[in-house]
Amino acid sequence: MQGKRILLGITGGIAAYKIAFLIRLLKKSGAEVKCIMTPASSDFISPLVVSTLSENPVGIEFWNKDDGTWNNHVDYGLWADIFVIAPLTANTLSKMASGSCDNLLLATYLSMKSNTVIAPAMDLDMYAHPTTARNLTQLESDGVEIIPAEDGQLASGLEGTGRMAEPETIFSKIEDYFESRKDPKIKGKKVVITAGPTYENIDPVRFIGNHSSGKMGFAIAEKFLADGAEVVLVAGPTKLNLEAPGLKLLRVRSAEEMLAAVQAEWESCDYGVFSAAVADYRPADVAEQKIKKSDEEMSIRLIKNPDILKWAGDNKKDQILVGFALETNDLELNAQKKLNKKNLNFIVMNTLMDPGAGFGHDTNKISILDDHNNFKSFEKKSKKEVAKDIIDYLKNYNS
Ligand code: CTP
């Protein structure tokens, strides 16, 4: 569930206390969690517990009187990959079935771009009531997925069907939900990604490097992993870290080390996405001892580094190969030349001229040019969203 965005809706039933365990399970699996609570649910679980465990502020009212912020149901609807409402009371169920919209949770339900999953919880007679059955049928036909209530001891002391499914059951239903939606073009495929800068040593304490943070490459790796790919992430020196099942993180320093790591993985891979900012040149000689200052001027002779992307393009069989171009001028013309020269399937272009795009930023603004001469421009977005756009382009790309 690495990187999946789970929006949890909590309504006012006794089972709300169990949601703490569900949040823990989701967080442990690498998901991002945000929660919305109905006002009544805070009698059963404290918003402080929910926000602490989810590591995000909790949305209860539209208007947060403490810090003056507006909780936007539309933003929640756009953010989430899935909306899970657990526990779902008979009251909120009936409001959802009728389209009522008198709190933040209900407004968010109506604003959802992704699917909604519900785990109802109520006393056995309420659960068995024809009104409840009718409302559940209505939601099912509206496309909502239902995790049925379970049989057992109820808070009222009675025994019967009405208990909220256990957090472990809800968790595995969420896992199944994402599993069943994984694209076969990505699921189980092997991807080699390069990320970050390279450092080219001058002497034991100095190097030639650049400002690349590696954020774009790491975001691409995360998205591929979330979609079920096997990822080899070859990363130059960066502070970033990523741990996930299916990930092989190879840390390298120089272009030559990056090339060697790519060469070892290339033949067996399906896709290559090369986002690293590789130094084009390296010092011809690396001093064994720290260079002492002497004359007013000094020069370092540089020799060309291997072009890793070009090597992959020259040694391409059925792989789809994606390169990056960071340009300051003649963006499309230069990108077209790189696409051809390096035998790429498509190239992701960005320019340092766009504010908030490129090195170090959390956002990027890209356009894509492919080898069929298709060109697509995207809005400025977070690097995570850009990663999704790149992978969506790859899914729809036909060589
Ligand atoms: N690349 C690489 N190995 C290199 C240099 C670049 O793999 N030695 C890859 C980058 O990861 C990126 C693309 O090639 O995907 C960038 O192309 P490149 O021609 O190197 O761009 P610039 O370094 O900007 O080159 P130039 O200075 O010629 O514009």
Side-chain angles (χ1 to χ4, degrees):
M1 296 250 256
Q2 190 66 39
K4 290 279 182 260
R5 294 163 163 190
I6 318 287
L7 184 61
L8 275 184
I10 306 169
T11 73
I14 181 68
Y17 81 92
K18 291 188 178 174
I19 294 309
F21 300 98
L22 178 59
I23 300 172
R24 294 280 304 262
L25 289 171
L26 290 166
K27 292 292 288 182
K28 258 176 87 176
S29 74
E32 281 183 61
V33 181
K34 286 189 183 178
C35 299
I36 302 177
M37 298 173 66
T38 58
S41 69
S42 57
D43 290 335
F44 298 94
I45 184 166
S46 141
L48 186 60
V49 171
V50 173
S51 74
T52 306
L53 293 176
S54 65
E55 296 177 63
N56 267 314
V58 177
I60 300 177
E61 310 280 356
F62 287 102
W63 174 242
N64 186 340
K65 293 176 186 77
D66 294 334
D67 62 9
T69 52
W70 161 254
N71 284 310
N72 196 330
H73 52 97
V74 178
D75 286 345
Y76 278 122
L78 288 170
W79 177 84
D81 293 322
I82 189 172
F83 188 23
V84 181
I85 308 180
L88 175 67
T89 57
N91 184 38
T92 299
L93 168 66
S94 118
K95 289 181 178 182
M96 286 168 73
S98 69
S100 288
C101 184
D102 62 1
N103 63 36
L104 179 65
L105 187 146
L106 290 162
T108 303
Y109 168 62
L110 292 175
S111 309
M112 277 306 293
K113 293 277 181 205
S114 311
N115 284 21
T116 300
V117 174
I118 54 168
M122 57 199 82
D123 214 54
L124 75 166
D125 294 319
M126 295 167 82
Y127 196 62
H129 199 279
T131 314
T132 303
R134 193 174 64 228
N135 287 336
L136 285 172
T137 308
Q138 179 61 53
L139 286 199
E140 202 164 24
S141 73
D142 293 343
V144 172
E145 205 169 301
I146 300 167
I147 306 174
E150 293 177 353
D151 203 38
Q153 178 116 47
L154 299 162
S156 60
L158 299 173
E159 289 244 349
T161 306
R163 281 170 68 95
M164 184 184 77
E166 291 301 322
E168 291 78 7
T169 310
I170 300 174
F171 176 78
S172 69
K173 292 278 184 199
I174 300 171
E175 272 191 321
D176 293 349
Y177 172 88
F178 287 118
E179 200 57 39
S180 66
R181 278 163 180 77
K182 281 180 179 164
D183 191 312
K185 241 181 140 177
I186 305 294
K187 188 178 169 187
K189 301 287 188 209
K190 177 172 169 180
V191 194
V192 173
I193 298 167
T194 69
T198 63
Y199 285 179
E200 311 297 334
N201 284 351
I202 298 170
D203 69 13
V205 294
R206 302 182 182 94
F207 60 85
I208 296 173
N210 61 64
H211 290 298
S212 168
S213 62
K215 283 180 186 168
M216 193 63 249
F218 274 66
I220 293 167
E222 256 190 274
K223 181 67 186 134
F224 267 115
L225 288 163
D227 287 358
E230 184 197 329
V231 173
V232 179
L233 176 57
V234 185
T238 163
K239 291 194 187 84
L240 302 178
N241 194 23
L242 188 59
E243 282 171 37
L247 173 70
K248 185 168 166 186
L249 175 56
L250 302 174
R251 293 201 185 267
V252 296
R253 184 173 166 88
S254 64
E256 286 182 302
E257 284 175 24
M258 189 173 273
L259 175 67
V262 166
Q263 284 174 330
E265 303 287 346
W266 183 242
E267 205 181 313
S268 59
C269 88
D270 300 286
Y271 308 128
V273 182
F274 287 27
S275 66
V278 183
D280 290 325
Y281 294 89
R282 68 176 185 277
D285 305 297
V286 181
E288 275 181 27
Q289 308 296 336
K290 185 179 168 218
I291 300 170
K292 288 297 207 188
K293 60 181 158 309
S294 51
D295 301 339
E296 282 305 307
E297 285 185 16
M298 79 169 279
S299 39
I300 301 170
R301 194 166 67 87
L302 301 177
I303 54 170
K304 210 158 194 187
N305 257 334
D307 189 324
I308 306 165
L309 181 61
K310 183 164 185 329
W311 179 89
D314 290 343
N315 291 277
K316 195 167 81 169
K317 291 195 178 100
D318 297 327
Q319 292 101 333
I320 293 179
L321 181 59
V322 182
F324 275 70
L326 178 68
E327 306 288 349
T328 52
N329 56 295
D330 297 329
L331 180 66
E332 277 167 58
L333 186 70
N334 286 328
Q336 177 81 62
K337 282 188 194 156
K338 279 177 199 171
L339 181 87
N340 298 338
K341 193 174 115 196
K342 304 195 190 195
N343 194 21
L344 309 181
N345 297 85
F346 63 88
I347 190 156
V348 180
M349 297 169 268
N350 48 31
T351 160
L352 285 176
M353 300 299 127
D354 285 317
F359 282 174
H361 291 286
D362 290 322
T363 50
N364 206 356
K365 180 169 175 2
I366 61 156
S367 39
I368 293 180
L369 177 72
D370 72 21
D371 57 350
H372 304 299
N373 225 9
N374 298 310
F375 178 85
K376 189 169 179 183
S377 213
F378 298 83
E379 295 297 308
K380 183 166 90 181
K381 295 179 180 182
S382 73
K383 285 190 173 168
K384 280 189 178 184
E385 288 166 310
V386 171
K388 182 176 181 312
D389 287 339
I390 294 168
I391 294 168
D392 283 346
Y393 200 92
L394 191 146
K395 284 179 191 167
N396 296 317
Y397 171 85
N398 291 310
S399 39

